[in-house]
Amino acid sequence: MAYIKNFLLPRLGDIDSVRVVNWNVAPGAAFATGDILLEIETDKSIVEVVAEEAGTLVEQLVPTGESMDATAPVARIEVAGEAPDEEQAASASSPAASLASSASNAQPGFYIKDFLLPRLGDIDSVRVVNWNVAPGAAFATGDILLEIETDKSIVEVVAEEDGKLVEQLVPTGESMDATAPVARIEVAGEAPLDDVQAAPAAQTRAPATAAPAASVPSTTTPLPAGARVFATPAARRVAAERGIDLAALTGTGPGGRITVADAMSATPGTTAGTSAGAAGARAAQEELQVATPHGTVFATRWSAARGNAATVVLIHGLFGDTDTWASTVTTLTRTGLNVLALDLPCHGRSAASATNFGMLVDTVAAALDKLCRGPVLLAGHSLGSAVAARIARQGKLQVRGLTLFSPAGLGTEINQSFIDGMLHAHSDEALEREARKLTATAVNLSAAYLRKLRERIQAKAEPLGALCRDIGVQGVQQFSIQGDLEALRCPITIVHGRSDAIIPWQHALNAPARAALHLVPQAGHMPQAEAMVLAGEVIERMARSI
């Protein structure tokens, strides 16, 4: 026996709208548990939506390319079994994200169970980057419990029911199997029977027989005195730091919940008697291709709603691309800044080539001359830091600040085996071995990511190899940015990991005395990813100063 029901998207934090970018299963086609049904685009990343049970796709309710409410049905599917009655439907809407287990220390009427992460495609390992709820603290449905990092993006993990966090099983900064429990929580009710415990360990939505809840329209009218304010824990923290009355804000999250973006977009000091301004406005993403004398450069721009917002330009390092900045982009766009990231010549989706450091700088400078108007902040990583410093010294852009993560060009040594290993890796296994040197904490890279990276390196092997030979010879860096930094008068901040296996952190000590320096313990060559909160704060602080 089978029945037809609506298929809803998984919960992904405070996202209220998504766009369908690809359907992998056609109407009438069967699918198995774990198959990727479709891909959706949020304002943060591309997310693969997987099937939690086997069935047949009956109807695609949202065509490719169209946007939709993140809480609305995206398809109708046929699955085995009997259609649940209303009581069963209500039960089904609670999360099946964990295996239940009774605990003697649970309060009467409550039980303790494991909490598992939502399914996110073929990702087998993630890293916990932030806990928003402390052990012993209560949380409500929709609260963000923690943030995890995949090899694609930062994902906010939300609570599907009210409860209390009993234990964090994975500390901040550590990696974990994506299918393992990340916490233990206490929730209301009785521990389910064994047959209920065998349900799939993944967060699910209510079946089609339960009508989707109507979205709560946002309001520009301040809440009455004493009314409960619905906001994420992170939004409450930001509002407190900026002196903002949450009751004065218009929430753009699910059910009108106030998000970090809402709190960051409000004018500091906003109270219930003032307007929240452009609260909650999201950055619009735009992909660009810019012609330069050495070929086309690919770039992505995230434009803030505020016309006077500062622009942060992100320049990645050797073998990287715009995805290197995924966590940084997420942080910066939430704070209302304009962000521009580009793929260097010989990297990512850029068709441009550069066989030496001078060509690299000239090509990026030509692209930024067309892309940037007004004051900018330059942020670079490794080789990208050197490019940023040289461009800033040229004086053609209105550079108001420079943030350098693990910068090249401040010392002699560089890990030549890493460069050679990345450039000449003939297997995904060999490439993964070298890529692991970039971070101090173990991060499992998916097979799809490694394959794509190796294909891109091999496609540009000749010019990329020439560039590598120009910037480093037998482990000796062939350029210096000390003179560039000494000549600059804008603020300079350097962030370097003390466990960097590519460029020794001691090189940062060669920067000008007036440069601010952050040495991050237990971080490797990518502190912008391993200490992303600090990275965002450093750039945002500099943006506020212009």
Side-chain angles (χ1 to χ4, degrees), residues 128-169:
V128 174
V129 294
N130 186 49
W131 278 99
N132 292 331
V133 179
F139 55 82
T141 302
D143 283 351
I144 300 172
L145 300 184
L146 70 154
E147 297 176 3
I148 58 174
E149 181 181 38
T150 71
D151 58 359
K152 301 175 182 178
S153 63
I154 302 296
V155 177
E156 296 173 335
V157 180
V158 300
E160 296 289 342
E161 58 189 327
D162 297 348
K164 181 174 72 174
L165 188 72
V166 176
E167 181 183 5
Q168 298 171 353
L169 300 179

Side-chain angles (χ1 to χ4, degrees), residues 3 17 22 24 48 112 116 119 181 186 240 254 309 342 373 407 424 433 435 463 502-503 522 540:
Y3 69 100
S17 177
N22 185 50
N24 293 330
E48 296 171 336
I112 295 175
L116 301 186
R119 288 282 299 277
E186 182 181 272
L342 52 80
R373 294 290 181 271
H424 301 295
R433 178 194 63 217
I502 311 301
I503 297 176
Q522 299 179 339
E540 184 193 356

Side-chain angles (χ1 to χ4, degrees), residues 450-539:
L450 289 168
R451 183 172 59 254
K452 182 173 71 171
L453 176 59
R454 190 161 64 88
E455 288 173 352
R456 286 182 172 177
I457 292 175
Q458 290 178 341
K460 303 285 184 67
E462 186 173 344
L464 186 56
L467 177 61
C468 290
R469 290 188 294 272
D470 181 73
I471 63 178
V473 177
Q474 296 182 353
V476 177
Q477 298 183 54
Q478 298 299 302
F479 59 88
S480 173
I481 62 169
Q482 287 179 264
D484 299 302
L485 299 185
E486 291 285 359
L488 294 175
R489 292 295 173 261
C490 65
I492 301 170
T493 299
I494 296 176
V495 182
H496 213 127
R498 292 181 68 101
S499 298
D500 194 329
I502 311 301
I503 297 176
W505 66 265
Q506 291 87 346
H507 289 191
L509 303 178
N510 296 326
R514 64 183 184 83
L517 178 59
H518 297 268
L519 298 177
V520 186
Q522 299 179 339
H525 190 60
M526 297 185 67
Q528 74 272 29
E530 295 183 277
M532 65 174 188
V533 174
L534 171 64
E537 289 177 348
V538 166
I539 298 175

Side-chain angles (χ1 to χ4, degrees), residues 315-316 380-390 403-408 481:
I315 307 175
H316 66 78
H381 170 238
S382 192
L383 177 61
S385 291
V387 173
R390 188 62 53 87
T403 303
L404 310 179
F405 297 92
S406 305
I481 62 169

Side-chain angles (χ1 to χ4, degrees), residues 93-242:
S93 65
S94 63
S98 51
L99 299 179
S101 60
S102 298
S104 58
N105 59 345
Q107 298 296 319
F110 293 79
Y111 70 99
I112 295 175
K113 65 178 185 178
D114 290 343
F115 180 79
L116 301 186
L117 302 174
R119 288 282 299 277
L120 291 174
D122 61 356
I123 294 170
D124 54 7
S125 177
V126 300
R127 187 169 70 94
V128 174
V129 294
N130 186 49
W131 278 99
N132 292 331
V133 179
F139 55 82
T141 302
D143 283 351
I144 300 172
L145 300 184
L146 70 154
E147 297 176 3
I148 58 174
E149 181 181 38
T150 71
D151 58 359
K152 301 175 182 178
S153 63
I154 302 296
V155 177
E156 296 173 335
V157 180
V158 300
E160 296 289 342
E161 58 189 327
D162 297 348
K164 181 174 72 174
L165 188 72
V166 176
E167 181 183 5
Q168 298 171 353
L169 300 179
V170 183
T172 298
E174 288 197 7
S175 297
M176 60 173 286
D177 186 322
T179 63
V182 70
R184 289 178 61 77
I185 62 175
E186 182 181 272
V187 296
E190 296 182 0
L193 301 176
D194 290 342
D195 58 342
V196 178
Q197 293 177 350
Q203 293 176 346
T204 59
R205 299 265 194 170
T209 51
S215 59
V216 178
S218 60
T219 174
T220 56
T221 304
L223 293 172
R228 181 182 177 187
V229 177
F230 292 91
T232 66
R236 292 181 184 278
R237 183 175 63 251
V238 170
E241 292 174 352
R242 305 185 73 208

Side-chain angles (χ1 to χ4, degrees), residues 175-392:
S175 297
M176 60 173 286
D177 186 322
T179 63
V182 70
R184 289 178 61 77
I185 62 175
E186 182 181 272
V187 296
E190 296 182 0
L193 301 176
D194 290 342
D195 58 342
V196 178
Q197 293 177 350
Q203 293 176 346
T204 59
R205 299 265 194 170
T209 51
S215 59
V216 178
S218 60
T219 174
T220 56
T221 304
L223 293 172
R228 181 182 177 187
V229 177
F230 292 91
T232 66
R236 292 181 184 278
R237 183 175 63 251
V238 170
E241 292 174 352
R242 305 185 73 208
I244 295 170
D245 182 0
L246 288 172
L249 303 187
T250 299
T252 61
R257 186 176 296 273
I258 296 169
T259 68
V260 170
D262 300 329
M264 289 303 305
S265 298
T267 302
T270 298
T271 65
T274 64
S275 171
R282 297 184 181 276
Q285 183 175 336
E286 179 184 14
E287 294 187 348
L288 306 164
Q289 294 190 51
V290 185
T292 75
H294 299 293
T296 302
V297 169
F298 175 87
T300 304
R301 191 203 310 271
W302 293 264
S303 300
R306 302 201 314 271
N308 61 346
T311 296
V312 180
V313 177
L314 305 174
I315 307 175
H316 66 78
L318 190 62
F319 304 117
D321 55 30
T322 53
D323 290 341
T324 298
W325 299 102
S327 57
T328 310
V329 168
T330 300
T331 301
L332 296 179
T333 54
R334 284 177 180 171
T335 62
L337 294 169
N338 294 310
V339 180
L340 176 70
L342 52 80
D343 286 340
L344 290 175
C346 304
H347 293 75
R349 286 171 279 185
S350 287
S353 291
T355 55
N356 59 60
F357 182 66
M359 289 178 62
L360 192 67
V361 172
D362 291 344
T363 305
V364 175
L368 294 183
D369 182 60
K370 295 182 178 181
L371 291 169
C372 299
R373 294 290 181 271
V376 299
L377 302 173
L378 296 184
H381 170 238
S382 192
L383 177 61
S385 291
V387 173
R390 188 62 53 87
I391 289 175

